[in-house]
């Protein structure tokens, strides 16, 4: 397929690379900033523009991978005619595209992306939704060209999936960072936590996380919990989080 | 070495199996409950007892892997003579052993253990501490027989490591469970989150978590954050956590 990428951030970069690798023709990259547009275009070996009016019409699909806040503003500045337009946002309903396009949908690869880390798309769930069976079929074929894991997910479900991911991925990563910070205070290298972090994640492949909870709160070990709370006296925000999360774990083990 | 295991829980089980596999002689298992004592003893093909007075004296080391709350009570009920006694607890100082033993230390394999999931000890950090250089050397040799990753960690550092692990492992696992719970509410299988969870963990091997934070809070995307908060109206505790953690991420990205 001929694909025009609107956006050049983490998701646009990794998705663009995966699509190019599977033989799709990346016809153009648009980004508001010249630097990111040119960087991604050079990776994909295709032209780029920073002008919305100069976005190519010679494409089968526009994949709009920009921030939720910029979405409506960018979409409103151009006539998309009958070309299929999809956004890639977790928490934005498909209907946001309705005022601007005749053929539209959502193409949401459910993964965390960073510009510098290559991602294997093969097993990534790609959540798709479209305003017609014909458009859904186009998205299905596009998704199948990069992944074996296609999910038909409506806007309401996708929003919930995104919310679940904020807890299970974004907040989890922040808790890794908290661990790093606490170790640094005592001059201990973050390295020591890595096997534990990897094993904790790996456990979900064989056990439900609710049933495999470990740690002081799951044993309701008040001696250790109180000791940890006293160690967090200089971090009132962490002390608060520690209390609330431990309380949730204790309740869920009753 | 001849090893006597005091305790038969998650850690005792996995550590016992790893030590037996490396050719150590497990001489006996003690546990308060007959069921867990006999189950672990049968896995290790050794005798067991539930009587503290019947714990064998024919051993080179006692590895005490019981809850922090039970530690002092069990230790006080027997004369350990000059045999080396180690505990395996993260947040209990080595000095708790001083009133009961002449030779003592800490042997803390830094990993999350469940009875049913076999763990490869090879890369697990084993944190050791002892009351004399001679005892430390014994623990070093024992640790090296199961892992290539030995750390000399004092009680103060070990306590901090344990605290970091509560955030980066125990709380993380609870956040996986929250993700599972949120998906279940909309009839979505937890399966869809697994690639994301594994990738999020895998990223720490190549990037510092503080620098690879993604998600709405890292972009200060107030539209998505507000939408998520409104979706959590029926979960006031989760709404509270969402707010506090997002605020921490926003602050750390300023």
């Amino acid at each position: 397929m001929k694909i025009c990428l609107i956006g050049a951030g983490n998701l646009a970069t990794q998705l663009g690379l995966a699509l190019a690798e599977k033989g799709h023709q990346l016809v153009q990259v648009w980004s508001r900033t010249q630097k990111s547009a040119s960087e991604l275009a050079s990776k994909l070996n295709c032209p780029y523009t920073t002008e919305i009016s100069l976005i190519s019409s010679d494409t089968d699909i526009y994949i709009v991978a920009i921030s939720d806040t910029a979405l409506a503003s960018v979409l409103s500045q151009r006539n998309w005619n009958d070309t299929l337009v999809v956004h890639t946002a977790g928490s934005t309903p498909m209907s946001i595209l309705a005022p601007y396009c005749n053929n539209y949908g959502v193409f949401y690869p459910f993964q965390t992306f960073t510009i510098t880390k290559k991602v294997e798309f093969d097993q990534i769930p790609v959540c798709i939704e479209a305003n017609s069976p014909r458009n859904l079929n186009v998205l299905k074929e596009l998704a199948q060209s990069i992944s074996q894991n296609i999910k038909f997910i409506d806007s309401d479900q996708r929003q919930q999936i995104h919310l679940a991911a904020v807890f299970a991925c974004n907040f989890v990563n922040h808790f890794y960072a908290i661990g790093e910070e606490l170790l640094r205070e005592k001059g201990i290298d973050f390295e020591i936590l890595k096997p534990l972090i990897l094993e904790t994640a790996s456990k979900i492949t064989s056990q439900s996380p609710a049933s495999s909870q470990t740690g002081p709160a799951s044993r309701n070990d008040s001696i250790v919990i109180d000791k940890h709370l006293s160690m967090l006296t200089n971090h009132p925000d962490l002390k608060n989080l520690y209390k609330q999360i431990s309380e949730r774990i204790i309740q869920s083990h009753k």
Side-chain angles (χ1 to χ4, degrees), chain A:
Chain A
M1 278 177 77
K2 289 198 237 178
I3 296 167
C4 182
L5 274 181
I6 313 292
N10 295 336
L11 196 160
T13 298
Q14 296 304 331
L15 181 57
L17 288 168
L19 290 166
E21 200 175 289
K22 296 298 177 181
H24 295 286
Q25 185 189 342
L26 280 299
V27 297
Q28 193 186 38
V29 170
W30 171 89
S31 169
R32 200 164 36 90
T33 55
Q34 164 122 15
K35 182 165 180 290
S36 54
S38 65
E39 276 176 8
L40 179 51
S42 95
K43 284 178 193 161
L44 299 174
N45 198 21
C46 75
Y48 71 89
T49 180
T50 59
E51 298 291 327
I52 295 181
S53 61
L54 296 181
I55 290 174
S56 170
S57 295
D58 182 24
T59 184
D60 298 317
I61 186 170
Y62 295 101
I63 299 182
V64 186
I66 59 183
S67 78
D68 303 40
T69 32
L71 204 53
S73 139
V74 167
L75 286 168
S76 66
Q77 289 178 56
R78 190 186 187 283
N79 187 344
W80 306 89
N81 301 314
D82 283 334
T83 312
L84 181 55
V85 178
V86 296
H87 78 61
T88 56
S91 288
T92 304
M94 178 174 72
S95 59
I96 200 175
L97 301 167
Y100 315 108
C101 328
N102 298 320
N103 293 294
Y104 56 89
V106 177
F107 192 93
Y108 179 54
F110 189 49
Q111 187 51 283
T112 173
F113 298 101
T114 33
I115 285 197
T116 46
K117 184 166 190 295
K118 190 165 185 288
V119 165
E120 294 304 327
F121 271 74
D122 196 46
Q123 300 301 323
I124 293 181
V126 181
C127 304
I128 56 174
E129 182 184 11
N131 74 324
S132 75
R134 209 189 54 176
N135 289 332
L136 190 61
N137 209 41
V138 173
L139 294 184
K140 187 182 151 199
E141 282 182 20
L142 185 65
Q144 282 175 336
S145 72
I146 54 170
S147 171
Q148 296 172 27
N149 195 357
I150 316 304
K151 305 278 183 192
F152 300 96
I153 298 283
D154 66 27
S155 291
D156 183 54
Q157 288 178 313
R158 189 175 57 256
Q159 193 167 277
Q160 190 81 356
I161 289 173
H162 190 205
L163 176 62
V166 170
F167 280 94
C169 159
N170 303 143
F171 290 173
V172 157
N173 184 74
H174 184 63
F175 278 28
Y176 297 159
I178 290 172
E180 189 178 29
E181 185 188 332
L182 290 170
L183 292 179
R184 195 184 305 119
E185 281 175 12
K186 296 277 179 185
I188 305 159
D189 199 288
F190 179 56
E191 204 61 34
I192 200 169
L193 258 179
K194 292 183 178 178
L196 182 58
I197 286 173
L198 296 174
E199 171 70 10
T200 304
S202 147
K203 272 165 80 164
I204 59 144
T205 60
S206 57
Q207 289 171 290
S208 156
S211 70
S212 69
Q213 185 67 48
T214 59
S218 72
R219 301 187 300 270
N220 203 353
D221 184 335
S222 56
I223 294 182
V224 172
I225 293 173
D226 289 346
K227 191 176 292 174
H228 285 171
L229 289 174
S230 77
M231 289 164 70
L232 290 169
T233 304
N234 295 328
H235 298 283
D237 53 344
L238 294 184
K239 188 171 176 174
N240 239 322
L241 285 175
Y242 189 106
K243 258 191 217 164
Q244 290 168 66
I245 301 168
S246 293
E247 191 48 45
R248 270 191 65 92
I249 295 173
I250 291 168
Q251 290 304 327
S252 67
H253 274 69
K254 270 188 178 157

